[in-house]
């Protein structure tokens, strides 16, 4: 009789020769992420790739990143857009009533700085949901800390001024130093400059770049390098410090006379902000495997913090300006 060799193995199998008999072999299955460069062995595909249709090559897994068309990104951008509209409307009303007692009493200069910071917080959402590139990642590195530092530097300067005025009033009738608008702006700018220095050092020591991230074998996420691990917390560290100091000042100034009630609204702002940030840190640390969810959470947290500052700090003043103009008197 005619002798024949074993049948050829399937395209997802490789041949394991039987020692001493070159015409016989066992057919062994390749694993899910292996390809077959030759008939006698399978090789693991590199991370971010899977075997091709005929098992002779590896093809790249399409990179996943937060896109403008994703539902969670659309929700974040819609929220931020409403915030930008509300912030712009508030700024226009304040400019129109720039010389009225309510606007003057709130510290016009610092109020506009705070509005600028709130506006920047909302715009960060559009930057965070952009496709990661070297320039987008660098902008995120600087932006996440800068927008918050502008907000909380202005609030801290306000609370420090209130505290010093009433503390000095108990001891002397002499006017405290550094409470003029110019002095307040210089103090606020100095506080923001600290954040800029932190961001520049971060950029120089760890240049921004977009990289592939493989949380699981079947994953291929395109992310900014800083989004992996806890690097973004470097940008948040100084604003968190400002928030804590503002909260301490809010507690110190809580017994200020009721007629001077801006300290009360600052207190509401800081207590709510602390709750939001505590929740954000927990969610941020627990979503290390899914960078898209982590970024979306950051978008909502930044916008929520800005919304709290906008509502607590400006709604009482807008109510008087628009609804009770008879109370807008010296």
């Amino acid at each position: 009789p005619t002798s024949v060799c074993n049948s050829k193995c399937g395209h997802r199998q490789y041949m394991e020769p039987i020692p001493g008999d070159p015409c016989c072999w066992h057919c062994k299955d390749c694993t899910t992420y292996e390809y077959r460069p030759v008939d006698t062995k399978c090789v693991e595909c590199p991370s971010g790739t899977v075997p091709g249709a005929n098992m002779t090559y590896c093809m790249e897994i399409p990179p996943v990143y937060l896109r403008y068309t994703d539902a969670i990104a659309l929700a974040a951008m819609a929220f931020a857009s409403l915030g930008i509209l509300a912030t712009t409307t508030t700024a226009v009303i304040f400019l129109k009533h720039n010389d009225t007692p309510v606007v003057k009493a709130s510290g016009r200069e610092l109020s506009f700085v705070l509005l600028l910071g709130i506006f920047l917080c909302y715009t960060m959402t559009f930057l965070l949901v952009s496709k990661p590139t070297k320039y987008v990642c660098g902008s995120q590195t600087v932006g996440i800390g800068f927008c918050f530092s502008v907000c909380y530097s202005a609030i801290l300067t306000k609370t420090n001024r209130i505290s010093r005025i009433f503390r000095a009033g108990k001891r002397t009738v002499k006017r405290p130093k550094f409470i003029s608008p110019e002095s307040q702006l210089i103090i606020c700018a100095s506080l923001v400059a600290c954040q800029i220095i932190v961001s520049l050092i971060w950029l120089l020591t760890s240049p921004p770049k977009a990289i592939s991230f493989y949380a699981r074998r079947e994953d291929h996420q395109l992310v900014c390098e800083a989004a992996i691990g806890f690097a973004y917390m470097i940008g948040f560290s100084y604003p968190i410090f400002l928030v804590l100091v503002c909260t301490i000042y809010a507690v110190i100034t809580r017994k200020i006379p009721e007629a001077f009630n801006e300290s009360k609204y600052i207190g509401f702002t800081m207590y709510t902000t602390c709750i939001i940030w505590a929740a954000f840190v927990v969610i941020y640390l627990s979503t290390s495997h899914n960078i898209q969810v982590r970024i979306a959470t950051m978008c909502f947290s930044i916008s929520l913090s800005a919304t709290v500052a906008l509502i607590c700090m400006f709604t009482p003043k807008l109510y008087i300006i628009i609804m009770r103009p008879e109370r807008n008197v010296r």
Side-chain angles (χ1 to χ4, degrees):
T2 305
S3 65
V4 294
C5 291
N6 276 17
S7 300
K8 197 170 182 180
C9 296
H11 79 286
R12 290 189 175 276
Q13 296 177 320
Y14 69 96
M15 298 186 302
E16 185 182 75
I18 296 175
D21 195 342
C23 203
C24 296
W25 54 80
H26 297 298
C27 289
K28 297 294 183 74
D29 292 331
C30 299
T31 62
T32 305
Y33 299 106
E34 288 182 334
Y35 75 108
R36 194 185 62 191
V38 293
D39 288 340
T40 56
K41 69 174 181 178
C42 288
V43 179
E44 179 85 10
C45 284
S47 295
T49 62
V50 292
N54 60 5
M55 294 291 289
T56 59
Y57 65 95
C58 293
M59 60 181 184
E60 185 183 45
I61 300 171
V64 176
Y65 54 89
L66 198 60
R67 301 172 188 269
Y68 291 120
T69 53
D70 291 344
I72 195 166
L74 288 171
M77 290 189 293
F79 186 18
S81 298
L82 291 174
I84 289 173
L85 180 62
T87 306
T88 305
T89 303
T90 302
V92 169
I93 293 173
F94 262 57
L95 281 171
K96 187 176 179 181
H97 299 84
N98 192 41
D99 293 320
T100 59
V102 165
V103 177
K104 286 182 178 180
S106 65
R108 284 178 297 187
E109 295 77 11
L110 287 179
S111 292
F112 286 117
V113 170
L114 179 54
L115 283 171
L116 173 63
I118 292 171
F119 181 86
L120 292 175
C121 285
Y122 286 124
T123 58
M124 276 304 301
T125 292
F126 298 92
L127 188 60
L128 287 168
V129 300
S130 300
K131 181 179 179 179
T133 64
K134 179 174 70 173
Y135 301 105
V136 168
C137 294
S139 301
Q140 290 178 7
T141 298
V142 175
I144 57 175
F146 179 75
C147 63
F148 275 132
S149 65
V150 172
C151 286
Y152 299 123
S153 293
I155 295 176
L156 177 57
T157 307
K158 274 176 174 280
T159 52
N160 174 264
R161 177 174 177 267
I162 294 169
S163 176
R164 287 190 295 112
I165 287 172
F166 280 88
R167 203 165 49 200
K170 294 178 180 179
R171 299 192 303 264
T172 177
V173 294
K174 187 178 179 181
R175 177 175 171 159
K177 295 180 180 179
F178 309 119
I179 63 169
S180 66
E182 294 79 10
S183 300
Q184 296 295 288
L185 288 175
I186 291 172
I187 293 170
C188 184
S190 301
L191 293 172
V192 175
C194 294
Q195 174 63 38
I196 294 174
I197 292 171
V198 170
S199 298
L200 289 176
I201 293 172
W202 186 11
L203 284 174
L204 292 173
T205 56
S206 180
K209 56 184 176 181
I211 63 171
S212 295
F213 174 62
Y214 314 109
R216 291 182 293 269
R217 182 59 185 81
E218 67 274 15
D219 271 356
H220 182 191
Q221 301 180 49
L222 180 64
V223 301
C224 292
E225 188 178 32
I228 301 171
F230 312 119
Y232 270 143
M233 299 311 293
I234 297 172
F236 285 126
S237 57
Y238 182 68
I240 288 173
F241 168 74
L242 291 177
V243 168
L244 293 175
V245 176
C246 284
T247 306
I248 292 170
Y249 267 114
V251 173
I252 292 172
T253 58
R254 71 188 187 281
K255 294 183 179 179
I256 282 176
E258 185 69 19
F260 196 89
N261 57 6
E262 188 167 34
S263 60
K264 179 174 67 177
Y265 299 124
I266 291 173
F268 289 154
T269 302
M270 301 325 301
Y271 305 146
T272 310
T273 300
C274 286
I275 294 171
I276 292 171
W277 280 48
F280 163 70
V281 170
V282 172
I283 296 172
Y284 184 88
L285 298 179
S286 62
T287 54
S288 58
H289 63 286
N290 194 326
I291 304 301
Q292 286 76 46
V293 173
R294 173 175 280 191
I295 295 298
T297 302
M298 193 184 302
C299 291
F300 281 111
S301 298
I302 292 173
S303 293
L304 275 173
S305 298
T307 302
V308 167
L310 184 65
I311 291 175
C312 292
M313 299 297 294
F314 292 97
T315 301
K317 302 177 183 66
L318 292 176
Y319 174 74
I320 292 175
I321 292 171
I322 298 171
M323 306 299 293
R324 295 293 183 87
E326 72 278 3
R327 291 174 55 186
N328 193 359
V329 292
R330 186 172 179 83

